[in-house]
Amino acid sequence: MFSKILIANRGEIACRIARTARRLGIRTVAVHSEADASARHVRLADEAVAIGPAPAKASYLNGRAIVAAAQLTGCEAIHPGYGFLSENAGFAEACTRAGLVFVGPPAAAIRSMGSKSEAKRLMERAGVPIVAGYHGEAQDEATLAAEAARIGYPVLVKASAGGGGKGMRVATGPSELGAALASARREAESAFGDGKLLLEKYLERPRHIEIQIFCDRHGNAVHLFERDCSIQRRHQKVIEEAPAPGLDSAQRARMGEAALTAARAIGYEGAGTVEFIVAADGTFHFMEMNTRLQVEHPVTEMITGQDLVEWQLRVAAGETLPLAQDRLAISGHAFEARLYAEDPARDFLPATGTLAHLQFPAEGRHLRIDTGVEEGDKVSVHYDPMLAKLIVWDETREAARQRLVDALGACEIAGVATNLAFLGAVAAHPAFAAAEIDTGFIERHRADLLPDARPAPDRIAALACLALVLERARAAQSALWRAGERQTDGTFAGSADPRSPWAFGDGFRLNQDGRHAVHLQDGTRRIDAVVRARPGHYVVELPGGALEVARAFAGERTIEAEIAGTRTVARAVRTEREIAIFAEGKSHRFAILDPLAVAAEAEAEGGSLRAPMPGKVVDVLVAEGARVARGTPLLILEAMKMEHTIRAPADGTVEKVKFAPGSQVEEGAELIAFRVEGETAPEEIGP
Ligand code: ADP
Ligand code: ADP
Ligand code: MG
């Protein structure tokens, strides 16, 4: 076994590899970008080497710097994790040339599976069933159009070099093909540096079931069963589970055999995953093979009791596989939920910001949390927005699902938009509980899953209002304290003990009439509230009616109140622009509206459309002066290696296009000046 390895990755997976290495007594070297100097993965490793500036191209994708770091620190092997250089055959070869072991398959195996087109040709020859489609060399529009017609619509356009759901577009008919090809090709070129495309029959309501395989260099090969990864958004997995619900052992054995046939056909070594798409009738077809560890590998670890990173290291060091097929068995059921910094309400757009508050439930036999971030960390545009993975295990699917619901409910995150509430809604959904899952699940149940479907209850909105008002009171009290307005016994006027949070119960001191206006935004719902402070109690007037509050106090990041006779204790975290309330196993985020600022912004903005994040304008789809209907695609922005379509917010006119294709834009930059039909002046939002 190795005595020292370099971890060529960051975040959650780098931390996870470090954890196994430590258990095995292997020393670790972390590499990091300038942005990650104090990141968790760096602190978990024994040594660390800075390899370049924040952009991945200059750091985590800088193979030369990484190999040099491994040589400098005397490592024997490099574990690439996933993403970054993990499926880069050139990097695998560079490691070998430098006398380092690349923890992964031989470069040739990476190459044959790196191109989905070539992989499908290989699998076809090896007798593995593949998805019907076109995976030829010719890429001209006429050939692709003819092939699409032959396959029959709907057709899925895929980047041959693709991964992570990028470079994929559905064309439901010939009229959509041109745009789908152009957009997939552009995204593929920018994300993978390779615009080659393939076409597949787009299957309706299939399941994604994949097989974890392992091979050593002594001719042994096993599969570690399947994972069902059908819960996806943007063609990317968000919740995975093992075993796959309803898969019988005969089918499992057939898929396992097909996966091993695929691995043998390319002389595989190490960990790999063969992904199949399973049609409603149970027939399965090869989709692609990922020649690395998979993001969702922990669910397999939970049901087999094996450590797959340990297996990888042993195989890479030349040992035989730790277990033979007949020694592997499935025990219980596991789920993994991927927690992303993203905004489900904005089509899962990646989000950035500072993790002002971050708290996960405690790990144990039933719950594992793989994460690479800590409170105070910045989520930047440079890297994948995945924050953590919550992995749960129990004897049955239902018991494990309940644990997932509980674990998600116990997470507290403020400062950055996340999919936490969305994941919670999926996990709690009756159709998910009934295992009625396929890749269309999220689309189909969208209305039940998005935050707007679940506005915060009035009691929670009242807590948010009280928290803000009490915070103002607290600020005022501490100002008084500083001003020395203290009574001789050291207490404030009107309270027995200044340290007791109950001391802040009489916020009316702030304001003559004890009336405080609070303006919040909960999803698409605006809440204009008034908190009236009376001696001994409050009244919170919400749009839906008034709530009596017998008493309320705010502590450091907590709020406690007796609302309409019921006492509630919650976490309340105030950041610059929002207040987050964590109560009763749910997160609620309210944007704080400053009425004057909102009015000023609306005035300045008119009907403009702004860049949701820094990026590059790749295409402008409309001409200035064009009248368009609501929802018409206007402009395509590429950010975080994905294309985002900026659409008309309403029926109206494109007054001015402010950037030409190729322009780099800052977050918030006005892209298009847009006049909404029939609107003359911006809507007035008064205080
Ligand atoms: P998998 O195929 O392993 O289930 P996905 O397809 O969702 O997972 O995503 C894998 C890809 O996403 C990787 O190849 C990488 O590009 C990116 N990725 C996801 N999470 C991370 C991460 N924490 N660090 C680096 N890359 C990541
Ligand atoms: P990636 O390399 O991005 O993971 P995949 O080829 O594995 O790309 O496809 C990602 C996801 O897209 C699949 O998990 C599946 O949900 C969906 N998908 C892929 N091919 C098809 C298809 N032919 N029909 C329907 N859905 C598909
Ligand atoms: Mg895939």
Side-chain angles (χ1 to χ4, degrees), residues 31-302:
V31 291
H32 66 87
S33 68
E34 281 163 16
D36 281 344
S38 60
R40 185 173 135 102
H41 81 271
V42 172
R43 278 177 294 114
L44 283 183
D46 297 304
E47 291 169 54
V49 181
I51 47 168
K57 256 202 184 98
S59 49
Y60 299 103
L61 287 170
N62 183 350
R64 208 182 290 262
I66 292 170
V67 168
Q71 289 176 315
L72 178 80
T73 51
C75 289
E76 302 146 74
I78 295 186
H79 195 310
Y82 43 69
F84 297 131
L85 295 166
S86 61
E87 292 177 282
N88 185 315
F91 178 69
E93 282 164 345
C95 291
T96 314
R97 270 200 308 274
L100 297 158
V101 175
F102 173 78
V103 181
I110 299 179
R111 274 210 181 90
S112 25
M113 289 298 176
S115 152
K116 288 191 210 280
S117 307
E118 195 195 325
K120 287 184 74 177
R121 290 198 288 270
L122 262 168
M123 291 304 109
E124 203 166 21
R125 258 181 270 140
V128 177
I130 62 168
V131 186
Y134 168 76
H135 41 262
E137 283 303 316
Q139 295 286 305
D140 59 286
E141 197 108 4
T143 304
L144 294 174
E147 288 294 335
R150 177 185 62 79
I151 295 163
Y153 287 91
V155 160
L156 183 62
V157 179
K158 267 190 199 181
S160 181
K166 295 188 185 104
M168 232 182 260
R169 295 290 181 275
V170 182
T172 57
S175 66
E176 288 177 19
L177 188 69
L181 292 173
S183 171
R185 186 172 287 133
R186 256 192 330 254
E187 194 166 282
E189 260 157 17
S190 103
F192 315 110
D194 178 353
K196 194 170 173 215
L197 302 175
L198 61 93
L199 303 175
E200 277 180 6
K201 176 79 193 168
Y202 184 65
L203 303 177
E204 314 271 358
R205 309 185 85 183
R207 282 169 74 184
H208 171 123
I209 300 181
E210 59 187 34
I211 305 284
Q212 174 71 57
I213 60 119
F214 246 101
C215 307
D216 66 21
R217 68 179 69 146
H218 309 286
N220 303 302
V222 299
H223 70 81
L224 288 92
F225 316 109
E226 77 283 2
R227 296 182 284 258
D228 191 318
C229 312
S230 301
I231 305 294
Q232 306 185 343
R233 56 101 185 81
R234 292 181 181 276
H235 301 296
Q236 197 191 28
K237 307 150 186 169
V238 277
I239 294 188
E240 305 97 343
E241 61 181 298
L247 193 74
D248 63 42
S249 52
Q251 174 90 336
R252 174 171 296 127
R254 273 196 298 274
M255 292 180 74
E257 221 17 77
L260 289 175
T261 302
R264 289 192 192 102
I266 55 165
Y268 204 73
E269 203 183 299
T273 295
V274 181
E275 297 189 333
F276 294 102
I277 196 149
V278 182
D281 64 4
T283 53
F284 62 90
H285 304 273
F286 172 87
M287 225 176 353
E288 65 158 343
M289 178 169 183
N290 289 326
T291 55
R292 54 171 163 88
L293 196 65
Q294 206 91 339
V295 175
E296 61 277 18
H297 75 277
V299 293
T300 300
E301 299 187 319
M302 297 297 255

